[in-house]
Structures are given as structure tokens and as C-alpha cells.
Amino acid sequence: MIDVIVLNRNLGSVCDALCTDIESVLGLEVNIVVVDCSTSEELASKRVTVQADSEAALRDGLRFGRGMNLGIKYLLDADSQSDWMLLLPVDTEIVHLGLEALVRDLNSVVELVAVKPMPEGSAYEDLMPITDFALGWNFEEGPWLLKTGFVREQIAMSGRDEFFDANNFRGYLTSLELAFRAYANGLCVGTTKNLLLRENESYLIEKAFLMKTNPLEENHRLFISEGVAWLQSKYGIADPWDFAQLVRLGFERFLVEHPDEAHKSLGGASQ
Amino acid sequence: MLDLASSLKEIIVGRRLTLLGVGPMSITVTREAVALANKYRTPVALIPSRRQVDSSKFGGGYVEGWSTQEFSAYVRSIDRGGFALLSRDHSGPWQGSKLSSDLSFPEAMVEAKESLEDDIAAGFNLLHIDPSAALSRGFSDADVAEMAVELVAHCVSKMDNPRQCVFEVGTDEQDTSHDPLSVTEERIDFLFRELERFGLPRPLFYVAQAGTKVLETQNFGSFDQPFTVEGSLPATVFVPEILSLLGRKGLLLKEHNADYLSDNSLKWHRKFGIHGANVAPEFGVTETRALLSFLRDFALEVEHDEFSNIVLDAGNWAKWLRPGSPASDSEKVEIAGHYHFADPRVVEIREILSKRAAVSGVDSESGISQSVRASIDRYLKAFGYGARK
């Protein structure tokens, strides 16, 4: 059984089509949670599980972190027994799923707590020409597979009711911070070709207003300026690349401490 | 006494220095680069392409009309401490003047060998062997590697000893992405096997795409982008990976097209441990902008327009433009002004400027030199020149 959280922003029909697609490829072993912050009923998903209707959400839209936090809270409050949860923005399209191989990947390393479904055309494929799965540390933003136990522990440790930092509104360095939290705790993250996804960026380009987000260029500008301010405020680190190097060090330490897994690293011997 | 390769390794790796390669876009750029190398008492490579400086057999290059011997003699005459490295950039078949593009393969190889012979005779220290122009003429990767081996063999046969010069190999097709590491490794392994078969020395530097691409007066490569460029790994991932691969092969990474990178990106060259980086057009553009600024400041509109027309009419700006570029005429002049600094009429225009400026107590040539020096120094400071050992 796997939980899937889909975050909808005024693209109800797109969201419902994605849900149908998920069910068709994953079969009955899936529990879909739709977090919706649509501004009108006709733009909402017909499969809403969690309705985000706060004034701020309706005004600014829900971004990845805040939206997923609502879905995660719903699942944990419902005492989900699934081992993994898949987080998908509404503009995701499933290109390929090899379910059996994916399950094998998820169980391939005991310390594995987060897996990046490979985006179509990802340059990481170059670093793993032979295998489908690899451990890494600096992956693209967007969809993630998270281990439910890790999410539960992180929330308990933080003392807050959220997994993703809600102060990081646009989700700057979300993937890097996720890897940081894993490696800082002696755990690890990886990526797999057995779940290949595509981001349909046309929605963001053509329907930014409908999705209650800024136009792409403005979004990029704010993503960086607000994100760097968030990084400096939270960690006291001025340069994002310095933060990245810290995560890399954690990754390398993990490989040293787990020599049996070193061959699974991106660019490792078996790759 | 250490040989050249060992000395360079000791400086670059031992001091964690990124060796700057400066395109000698003009006599001013050449002079300022040599002066800074002597100021820091640390090697700076001067990296003429064959279009900039070439054997007198092929008519020299567009920079001062210099032949290889003349360029070498000039540099040696001003390099009091011996810190300037003469480094041929992109030598190989079809890498010379426009005329060389019409040559057959055997003719182009003969021409490349003759050009390299002059480099060696003129005391060049580094030779970048780059037959990659053959790729666009139907030759394969393996053909290109064999051409590289043939050129290295020819060079060694012309040297007093095989360690007289160090070699740089690899291509730097300007792109926003890079070759897969596995492809790079296969190329290196093939090259090493062929070099070993003929008892030839391995290169010291390997040119690999690190995410730099120069168009107009900007760097559009992935290295300097705040977002991951689609199909490219972030620099924080890729650069350590390529450095690790080259380290295992005993090679140093040479990055090309580092022009116009931000101060922060330059700082990361040393932090990552990138061993060398080439910068060329930016220094020419800096000189052109300074010249144009002085012409405007001293109300030399006729000369300003004449210089601009010379540059615009020649069309050297075209290869630097983005597809569909909205670049204005003044931007085109800035991009390509340096191709014409040796034009007798441009020399006259600069003399007119000097005289007009001198009336106001201003040394325009000194001002232009200072701009160029500051532009080069931005790289040197970021790359570890002058840093405490």
C-alpha cells in the first residue's frame, strides 16, 4: 500500500486525470489524498480530500511545502499504515512506472528515507548508465517519495505540525534540505528510473494566474531572492553552494560509514 | 629541477590555484596580463588561437598582425620575471584562418603541424591539441583522437626533449550541457591507449565542459545560472564529479569560456579546485568599451562613428550573437571591436584620442589599460593569485 498526495491549484480536471492515471498504474494498492485550494468549485478537483480554504491559501495559492504539509497531516492523523508516501504537484505526468522494480529500490537500502522519481530528461541519468537506482544528495525540486516513519519522526522532533518548512514559501532548496535532514541523521536519499515523471510546465507558463502563482519569470526572481533570505535566516549561511557542500559532506560521510552501499552512489563503481 | 608539468602541478594543486588563461586579444591585454603575472609572481597563460596569432607562413593573426615568433618575442621582452606561459589554444586541422577551412584533410594536417612547429620553435610552453573541427566534416570521435595522437607525435619529434612543452587535449564545444562522464572517460582511455602505443607523453590538462557558454557579452552556461538548466547537472554536482574522474586519470581540468562569470562563480572555481580557466573575449570587450567611452568623453563623434562602422562592416560580431538576437549596433561594436585594433585607421583614431585627451591632462591609453587590468585582475584575485601560501 502506498499513499499519494496530489496538490491541486485550480486545475481540477488535470488533477482528476492524474488521479485516474495513478490508479491505473498502481492498481488498488494506492490511497490518494487530494489537497485542494481552488478558488471556485468548477476549478476544484472532484476528489478533494483536504480543502485548504484559509484566506492566505485562497489569495496566494498553496505552494509545494505548505500544501504537502496539509496532506501529510491528514495521513498521519488518520494513522496511515503505508510505508511510503508519494508527493505530486498537479502538473505531474507519469511517463513510466516499473512497480516491482520500484518496490525493490525502496527496500534496497535500510537507511533510505526519500527517493526522487527521476524527471524525464534528467541529467542524472548520465551518472547511472547501468543501474536504475542510485544514492545522491542534490536532486531536482518537485515530486518525492518519502518514508512515512521518517516523516513522522521529523515532525515529532520539530515540535511543529509540519514536515516542510512553511516559512520557505516557494520551496527554495527543498530537495537539498530534505537530503540534509536525512544525511545529518545517518540516513540517505536516492533516485530511481523506475518511476519516471514529467512536469508539464505549460500550466505554470500559461495558467499562472489560474493557479494563483506569479508569472514564471517573476516566480523565478522571487524564488531566488526570498529563498536566499530564508536560507540565511534559518541556517546563517550566505551562499546556497556552501549549503550544498555541507550536504555533500554528509553524503560522503554516509558512504564512508556504509561501505557496502558505496557502489550505489551516483557515479559510484557500479554506475 | 622540476620539469614544466611538475612545476605547474605544484603551483596549481599545491597552492589550490586556478591557472588563468588570458586570450591576447590585443597588445594592451597581452601587456597587462604579463604585468599582473609579474606582480603576483605567479604564472598566467597567454592563450592565442591561431586566428589571433599564427605562423608567418600563414600570414600571422589579427592581433597586431603578429606572427608566432613576433608574439613570443614581444611577451619575452616584457616578462621580466618569466611568469608568462605561452600557450597555444585550439591547434589542429581547420583551426587557422578562414582560408584554412577550404583545405583537404591532408593539407589541413600539414598546416596544423607547421603551425605547431613554429609554436615549439618560438618557445611555447603549453600546446592545446584540438582536432575537433574535424567532427563537423564527418570524422568520428576515434578519428579525432588519432589525429590528436599524430599531432602530439609530430610535436614531440620537433622538441629538444619530450617534456619541453605540456599538452592540453579535449574539446569545449560551447554548450549549456556537458558530455556524460562515461563518454569522457571512454575518450580519455582511448587517447591514453593510443599515446602509450607510440610511447608519447600524456597530457597535463583536459578540456571538459563545466557549464560555460559565451554569447554576446554574457555567460549563458549552467555554471552561472541560479536554476538547474534542463538536461544539465548542477555545477555543485558535476564539477566535483569531473574533477574526481580527471584526478583518477592524473589529469587537470581546464575550463574554457569562463568569460563574464559572476564574482561568486569565480570564487567557486578555487573552492571546487578547478585547475585552469580560459577567458578571452571579455578582455577585448572591456578594452573596446573603454575606448568608446573615451571617444565619447572627448567629443570625438566622427572617430567614434568611423570606428563603429569599421567594426560593423567587417561582421566579426555575427558569430557571437544569440539566434534572433536583438543586439543593437553599439552592442555589436562592443562585441567585436578588438578584431580591429591593429587596423591602421583604428590606430590613427587612438592617436587622435590620445592627443585630444592629453590637452586635458588625461592619458587615454593609460586609462584603457587600467580598465583591462582591472578586468583581468577580477579573475586573478578570485583564482587565488596573491593569496597567502
Side-chain angles (χ1 to χ4, degrees), chain B residues 62-210:
Chain B
Y62 73 77
V63 179
E64 293 293 309
W66 274 332
S67 69
T68 306
Q69 284 289 356
E70 289 166 339
F71 171 71
S72 173
Y74 175 73
V75 172
R76 296 306 182 210
S77 74
I78 59 171
D79 181 22
R80 279 174 299 188
F83 293 103
L85 297 170
L86 297 179
S87 175
R88 169 60 69 193
D89 204 22
H90 298 291
S91 195
W94 299 297
Q95 295 280 19
S97 66
K98 283 179 184 168
L99 293 175
S100 79
S101 64
D102 297 329
L103 299 176
S104 67
F105 170 61
E107 289 169 337
M109 282 295 275
V110 167
E111 193 203 50
K113 287 175 182 174
E114 288 180 350
S115 176
L116 283 163
E117 284 173 26
D118 256 22
D119 292 344
I120 294 163
F124 271 51
N125 311 102
L126 284 85
L127 302 172
H128 176 207
I129 305 296
D130 180 12
S132 65
L135 290 170
S136 62
R137 293 161 190 265
F139 290 91
S140 68
D141 266 357
D143 294 333
V144 166
E146 281 167 9
M147 289 173 207
V149 172
E150 184 179 336
L151 291 172
V152 169
H154 185 76
C155 290
V156 169
S157 75
K158 300 296 174 185
M159 292 177 192
D160 296 333
N161 76 73
R163 298 188 184 281
Q164 181 181 332
C165 302
V166 296
F167 291 100
E168 173 181 333
V169 297
T171 60
D172 66 316
E173 290 170 58
Q174 277 223 67
D175 205 345
T176 52
S177 62
H178 29 67
D179 289 323
L181 286 171
S182 53
V183 172
T184 301
E185 184 162 18
E186 282 168 20
R187 281 188 187 140
I188 292 170
D189 289 344
F190 181 81
L191 179 71
F192 278 11
R193 276 197 303 274
E194 291 299 296
L195 289 170
E196 195 161 326
R197 198 153 66 91
F198 295 102
L200 295 167
R202 289 181 174 185
L204 178 65
F205 290 102
Y206 190 84
V207 184
Q209 178 54 262

